Amino acid sequence: MPGASDMRHTDGDRARDVVVAAMRRGMSAEEVSRTCGVSLATVVHLVRGGYPWTENSRRITASAALLEDAAKARKGGRG
C-alpha cells in the first residue's frame, strides 16, 4: 500500500506530541527543556517540525508524566 510507512508513529512523533501538549498547557520551551533534560535547541527543533536524536526522544517520552504534573502545578492543580 503506497504511503503506508508515512502513517507509522515514530519515537520522534511521540516526542513531538509530548512537547507540543506541554506547551499547549502553558509550559515554556525552557521549562520543557529543563524537565526533560534536553537542550532548548532540541525543544525548539521539535516544535518547528524536526526530529530529535533517538536518545532525546526517549528522554522526552519518558518525561511525559513529569511534564503533565508540572503543567498541572503551574495551573494551580486544575487541569
Side-chain angles (χ1 to χ4, degrees), residues 59-76:
R59 285 182 182 178
I60 292 167
T61 53
S63 300
L66 290 173
L67 288 169
E68 187 173 336
D69 291 345
K72 285 180 182 177
R74 197 171 196 283
K75 288 183 171 181

Side-chain angles (χ1 to χ4, degrees), residues 19 29-46 52-53 56 59-60:
V19 168
E30 291 86 1
E31 290 171 317
V32 172
S33 170
R34 277 193 305 269
T35 303
C36 294
V38 297
S39 71
L40 180 58
T42 297
V43 173
V44 171
H45 182 67
L46 274 170
W53 293 98
N56 286 339
R59 285 182 182 178
I60 292 167

Side-chain angles (χ1 to χ4, degrees), residues 2 9 11 23 26 32 35 57 71-72 76:
H9 206 66
D11 287 340
M23 293 183 77
V32 172
T35 303
S57 291
K72 285 180 182 177

Side-chain angles (χ1 to χ4, degrees), residues 5-38:
S5 63
D6 296 342
M7 297 180 73
R8 188 178 51 185
H9 206 66
T10 66
D11 287 340
D13 294 325
R14 283 187 283 279
R16 182 179 305 107
D17 292 346
V18 168
V19 168
V20 170
M23 293 183 77
R24 283 186 179 150
R25 288 187 210 111
M27 291 185 75
S28 69
E30 291 86 1
E31 290 171 317
V32 172
S33 170
R34 277 193 305 269
T35 303
C36 294
V38 297

